[in-house]
Amino acid sequence: MSRILLITPPFTQLNTPYPATAYLKGFLNTLGIESRQADLSLEVILHLFSSSGLLDLFKEISTLQISLEDEMLKRIISLKEEYIATIDLAIAFLQGREPSLAHLICNGDFLPVAGVRPEEEDLEWAFGTMGIQDKARHIVTLYLEDISHLVAAVDAHFGFSRYAEQLGRSASSFDDLYNELLKPYTYVDRILIQKLEYWLSSYTFDWVALSVPFPGNLYSALRCGEYIKKKYPQIKVEIGGGFITTELRQLSDARLFLYCDYITLDDGELPLKQLLIGRESDYVRTYVLQGKDVVYVNNNSFSDIPMSKRGIPDYSGLLLDKYLSVIEMTNPMHSLWSNGRWNKLTLAHGCYWGKCAFCDGSLDYIGRFEPLAAQEIVNRMEALISQTGERGFHFVDEAAPPALLKELALEIIRRKLVVVWWTNIRFEKSYTLDLCRLLKRSGCIAVSGGLEVASDRLLKLINKGVTVPQVAKVTDYFTQSGIMVHAYLMYGFPSETAQETIDSLEIVRQLFMNGLVQSGFWHRFAMTAHSPVGCYPEKYAVKITEKPFGGFARNDIDFVDTAGADHDLFSEGLRISLYNYMRGVGFELPLYKWFDIPVPRTTIPPTYIERLLDKSLDTIAKDGQRRLVWISKTLPWMRYYERTKKGKKVIVSEFIIMTSSESQVFRLKSEWGQWLLEHLRAVQFPHEEKLTLIDWEKDFRIQHGGSFDELLQSSLWKVLRENGLYFL
């Protein structure tokens, strides 16, 4: 039986493993195929940022003719001994092994400083006086960024989460990459090959599979493949991943096979299975070299592996206690991507919407929607908690389906599972306030979603399926529920005018100012070959200007917007304004202050977003389609006692609700209280009857004949709604 090594090449996130190898290892377990996995991205970083690594780095610097006109570089070199003396402790702190160092780090004189540090006032604003661990993580992150300046001085390809990215991005021709690979190893290359050699010499493998999720992983993947084919020619090398899937769908350049034997597209499970156990005629979505020609082999008789049959992601063998929790930005929502180690899971294959004009909807990873059952997802969560010891989950879906999220939340609550999770969503109307409250109760701390261009005309053109008023209400529901919101923002969509760009910025300003969004990022629109815009440019007022295809990668397409503004003029103003809004400042400034060019005045009224919001908890109360559910662990109860009123003894009845911090007591007619208790018991989760508010109202009128609205408008009803009564 074949033995396979699954590799993530440099560089990806520092804080958590990229999940591709864990997904594949989990699947290979179901086939009984032995596999190991290595995150060479992490291993190279840990070597670079160690005392021995820095000693080597400073020695390398001393042998090179490097211009010392760079003041920051000169300062790092002058502080050499301080960096070497502190790096191991700094890394240990980021790994969670030396938490007490936070006090020394925050004092300001423990770590050397080469670059600019934020003012103490800014740190106090971001972390307060008690958030000392996160404050220290941010300071150590800036310290590592200083050292990265030194690494980049000896290896210009280096970046914290990418390596030689510019060589892979939009590379129609393989020439630049090929010429770079002909050069001697760079400084980082040499470390990479040392780490690779350790794995290859320590175990016997028949196969190596290299995952290339981003352009910043491509060069190092090819370096690995090159070394394996020269030193271990008996090992077969396969390359796949997100970058390969989106960029190499028209591959014809045979030179790529100097570095690998097979290249696979889309989900890797079935292609890898067929490579390991099949004949060439049985290969699926696989490029092979036949003679001098690149041939695409795709046997359509094999169906893709269902999500439920792919096994549980397996993180075993990865250095889970060695990942670095860093905080690059002080924004708490933004830091989720880099701070903390998350178990990554997928709720559903593809996107349930799949219609956005800018998205790769024609490709399988978007276009084929296949959800898992909530029970299966929670089974996997429990297995991963047992395996990794971590209760944090990042669901990495393109857009998590709201109906599935509801069932997932209920299943988590049903099993009394304590977890923390976040995911990507669409800001659609299915997210009622009660659903958001339910997600919060199950452990949801944050969501990210695409607002894109905050213009109803452009949202319709994009086919986003949402409107600005809808986005405002949904983000309000999430933030009311205590869930942070990150907004993906876009500028430069074809036909977008200067007026629409400024109006979009005003919408964004008001969303931040009203506390509806806590984090965001402006992306410049890029036209991809597999999106509706790329497939049908004539529908979107664009003219394609790309050069003839060079036989290697094709995804991003050069184009001219024939109807819109000069979008480059707005880049810096949008970036700076958003940076300030995320810090909670600059809302009072007129929008033109952010730009160094004349811009139109916004046409959006200054209270536009505020007027869209509805703070009532019961906007959906009488929706006959939503069932009532009592989620709280404890039911209310009735208490009776005697009291004297005007010389007579009377029985007083009280309705008591236990909240997390106190008991709330309401005087209530005994018959009303008993009726309410009976009906709350009927809808108590997880054995609730399917009853709606309309059902309750009908029964109330039959039993008591009074005004049901009197109950709905009472403070008792408000407390019930706040503490466990949901409309789902």
Side-chain angles (χ1 to χ4, degrees):
M1 182 65 72
S2 298
R3 298 182 70 191
I4 183 169
L5 174 62
L6 309 166
I7 292 177
T8 302
F11 287 114
T12 55
Q13 290 173 267
L14 300 177
N15 64 308
T16 199
Y18 191 78
T21 63
Y23 280 24
L24 289 174
K25 183 171 175 57
F27 171 66
L28 293 173
N29 291 344
T30 69
L31 303 178
I33 294 175
E34 185 178 354
S35 64
R36 293 179 183 265
Q37 58 186 328
D39 188 349
L40 296 188
S41 179
L42 175 69
E43 292 183 32
V44 171
I45 283 290
L46 292 180
H47 179 94
L48 280 169
F49 295 91
S50 66
S51 54
S52 60
L54 285 190
L55 273 170
D56 292 341
L57 187 58
F58 281 111
K59 286 178 184 176
E60 185 80 7
I61 283 279
S62 67
T63 66
L64 301 176
Q65 297 296 319
I66 294 176
S67 170
L68 291 185
E69 294 179 3
D70 186 324
E71 290 297 326
M72 185 173 173
L73 191 58
K74 283 199 298 186
R75 180 164 174 79
I76 295 172
I77 293 172
S78 69
L79 295 169
K80 167 186 171 181
E81 298 302 327
E82 291 187 48
Y83 279 105
I84 293 172
T86 54
I87 185 63
D88 289 339
L89 287 174
I91 292 296
F93 173 76
L94 292 181
Q95 292 171 334
R97 294 187 287 114
E98 294 282 359
S100 60
L101 286 177
H103 297 276
L104 287 177
I105 293 166
C106 291
N107 284 343
D109 56 1
F110 176 66
L111 298 177
V113 176
V116 177
R117 289 290 182 270
E119 297 291 336
E120 187 61 31
E121 183 179 336
D122 290 335
L123 292 175
E124 287 296 321
W125 171 84
F127 302 108
T129 56
M130 297 301 291
I132 189 169
Q133 291 290 325
D134 280 351
K135 181 178 176 182
R137 287 189 191 282
H138 180 56
I139 292 170
V140 177
T141 303
L142 298 177
Y143 159 88
L144 293 187
E145 289 178 357
D146 286 354
I147 301 175
S148 73
H149 197 67
L150 189 69
V151 182
V154 300
D155 191 335
H157 291 326
F158 178 76
F160 258 129
S161 58
R162 62 191 64 84
Y163 189 63
E165 183 182 54
Q166 72 284 359
L167 295 173
R169 186 179 292 280
S170 303
S172 174
S173 168
F174 190 56
D175 288 348
D176 288 346
L177 256 171
Y178 179 69
N179 291 332
E180 198 67 26
L181 290 162
L182 290 176
K183 295 178 182 179
Y185 287 158
T186 67
Y187 183 78
V188 173
D189 288 347
R190 296 199 296 269
I191 298 171
L192 169 63
I193 297 305
Q194 289 173 13
K195 302 300 178 184
L196 176 62
E197 172 59 26
Y198 164 80
W199 281 95
L200 297 176
S201 61
S202 300
Y203 307 93
T204 301
F205 295 106
D206 305 295
W207 287 80
V208 169
L210 294 153
S211 177
V212 183
F214 310 112
N217 303 96
L218 178 61
Y219 169 86
S220 52
L222 297 182
R223 275 299 193 205
C224 289
E226 174 188 46
Y227 181 80
I228 296 166
K229 287 181 71 65
K230 287 180 180 177
K231 183 78 180 290
Y232 298 88
Q234 75 279 12
I235 297 177
K236 296 296 184 183
V237 179
E238 178 267 350
I239 297 180
F243 173 84
I244 304 298
T245 289
T246 55
E247 301 272 349
L248 304 191
R249 303 195 80 89
Q250 298 172 241
L251 178 68
S252 61
D253 196 321
R255 290 177 294 176
L256 193 56
F257 286 88
L258 294 170
Y259 310 94
C260 64
D261 299 289
Y262 304 97
I263 298 166
T264 61
L265 302 181
D266 299 321
D267 292 3
E269 286 82 0
L270 180 60
L272 193 56
K273 174 186 175 184
Q274 296 307 111
L275 284 176
L276 295 175
I277 65 175
R279 301 167 299 175
E280 184 169 311
S281 60
D282 293 333
Y283 291 170
V284 173
R285 300 192 299 271
T286 300
Y287 286 111
V288 297
L289 190 64
Q290 294 180 354
K292 295 183 178 180
D293 297 324
V294 177
V295 176
Y296 184 61
V297 182
N298 186 22
N299 190 325
N300 289 318
S301 64
F302 295 97
S303 299
D304 254 305
I305 312 297
M307 289 284 287
S308 60
K309 302 295 184 183
R310 296 187 182 188
I312 298 169
D314 185 349
Y315 286 90
S316 62
L318 295 176
L319 307 175
L320 296 182
D321 60 339
K322 302 295 186 185
Y323 285 87
L324 311 178
S325 288
V326 298
I327 297 181
E328 300 168 22
M329 292 187 64
T330 56
N331 182 282
M333 174 69 209
H334 230 80
S335 70
L336 287 181
W337 276 272
S338 60
N339 185 22
R341 208 198 65 69
W342 302 96
N343 293 319
K344 292 181 183 279
L345 275 177
T346 304
L347 304 175
H349 183 282
C351 179
Y352 70 98
W353 178 251
K355 301 175 184 178
C356 296
F358 58 82
C359 200
D360 293 335
S362 64
L363 297 185
D364 181 78
Y365 83 97
I366 296 288
R368 180 169 58 85
F369 178 64
E370 181 196 347
L372 279 169
Q375 293 84 353
E376 175 62 25
I377 295 166
V378 182
N379 288 344
R380 296 182 180 197
M381 294 173 74
E382 290 180 327
L384 285 176
I385 291 170
S386 177
Q387 180 192 128
T388 68
E390 297 283 352
R391 293 182 176 272
F393 290 86
H394 178 196
F395 300 123
V396 293
D397 296 61
E398 298 298 323
L404 180 54
L405 284 182
K406 180 176 76 171
E407 295 308 315
L408 173 67
L410 290 171
E411 187 65 21
I412 289 171
I413 296 167
R414 181 179 290 112
R415 299 194 196 186
K416 301 178 182 178
L417 187 63
V418 178
V419 291
V420 173
W421 60 270
W422 59 295
T423 191
N424 310 310
I425 64 158
R426 293 177 61 250
F427 296 120
E428 63 163 80
K429 61 184 179 182
S430 299
Y431 290 104
T432 63
L433 179 55
D434 276 26
L435 177 54
C436 294
R437 293 168 62 225
L438 180 74
L439 300 183
K440 173 68 175 180
R441 200 177 193 107
S442 73
C444 180
I445 58 170
V447 294
S448 56
L451 170 56
E452 318 309 352
V453 184
S455 154
D456 282 335
R457 181 189 79 84
L458 288 168
L459 286 171
K460 185 176 181 180
L461 182 63
I462 290 171
N463 200 15
K464 188 68 183 177
V466 302
T467 64
V468 171
Q470 185 176 311
V471 169
K473 290 176 181 177
V474 170
T475 54
D476 185 33
Y477 294 156
F478 275 111
T479 53
Q480 277 191 61
S481 303
I483 297 173
M484 294 186 292
V485 178
H486 174 88
Y488 295 111
L489 306 166
M490 180 191 296
Y491 71 101
F493 192 81
S495 79
E496 182 178 356
T497 65
Q499 184 67 63
E500 286 172 323
T501 301
I502 295 302
D503 285 349
S504 184
L505 176 58
E506 173 61 15
I507 294 290
V508 170
R509 184 190 75 85
Q510 292 187 30
L511 288 171
F512 274 93
M513 186 174 65
N514 284 281
L516 309 185
V517 173
Q518 289 73 51
S519 172
F521 188 82
W522 286 106
H523 299 259
R524 172 68 185 271
F525 168 76
M527 188 166 78
T528 64
H530 315 293
S531 67
V533 180
C535 294
Y536 310 102
E538 66 280 357
K539 294 183 179 180
Y540 297 91
V542 299
K543 180 181 179 182
I544 293 178
T545 58
E546 68 174 337
K547 297 175 183 178
F549 178 55
F552 180 53
R554 182 174 185 261
N555 190 34
D556 288 357
I557 299 175
D558 294 332
F559 71 96
V560 173
D561 181 355
T562 62
D566 183 349
H567 307 298
D568 289 336
L569 299 176
F570 298 94
S571 301
E572 190 63 9
L574 293 174
R575 184 190 68 81
I576 294 173
S577 58
L578 184 62
Y579 173 77
N580 281 275
Y581 296 159
M582 285 195 292
R583 295 175 64 246
V585 298
F587 298 125
E588 75 288 352
L589 292 178
L591 299 186
Y592 72 85
K593 290 285 189 179
W594 302 114
F595 300 89
D596 56 8
I597 57 167
V599 297
R601 289 182 176 275
T602 182
T603 63
I604 304 298
T607 59
Y608 174 70
I609 292 295
E610 185 180 352
R611 296 202 306 264
L612 293 173
L613 306 182
D614 188 337
K615 297 296 184 180
S616 169
L617 193 63
D618 277 326
T619 54
I620 58 166
K622 292 195 176 183
D623 185 337
Q625 301 303 311
R626 300 187 190 276
R627 73 179 193 269
L628 279 161
V629 182
W630 177 259
I631 296 288
S632 180
K633 298 173 185 176
T634 306
L635 277 169
W637 72 89
M638 292 292 292
R639 179 172 67 192
Y640 303 92
Y641 62 91
E642 284 187 352
R643 60 170 293 191
T644 302
K645 185 177 181 181
K646 296 183 179 180
K648 294 182 179 180
K649 289 185 177 181
V650 294
I651 302 296
V652 177
S653 57
E654 292 180 335
F655 192 90
I656 302 172
I657 303 172
M658 286 287 291
T659 69
S660 57
S661 58
E662 61 179 344
S663 297
Q664 297 209 37
V665 181
F666 298 88
R667 292 278 180 89
L668 195 62
K669 295 177 184 177
S670 177
E671 61 271 23
W672 278 32
Q674 291 298 334
W675 178 91
L676 189 52
L677 283 179
E678 176 188 327
H679 282 70
L680 287 173
R681 194 173 292 113
V683 298
Q684 185 176 20
F685 183 78
H687 306 296
E688 72 278 4
E689 298 178 34
K690 292 187 177 180
L691 298 173
T692 68
L693 194 66
I694 292 174
D695 296 324
W696 276 28
E697 183 172 11
K698 287 179 180 177
D699 189 73
F700 184 86
R701 292 187 186 283
I702 292 170
Q703 297 289 334
H704 305 293
S707 172
F708 191 64
D709 287 341
E710 184 180 342
L711 174 62
L712 297 185
Q713 293 164 9
S714 67
S715 57
L716 165 61
W717 183 257
K718 183 174 183 292
V719 173
L720 284 171
R721 292 285 283 118
E722 289 173 347
N723 290 280
L725 187 58
Y726 289 73
F727 290 96
L728 303 174

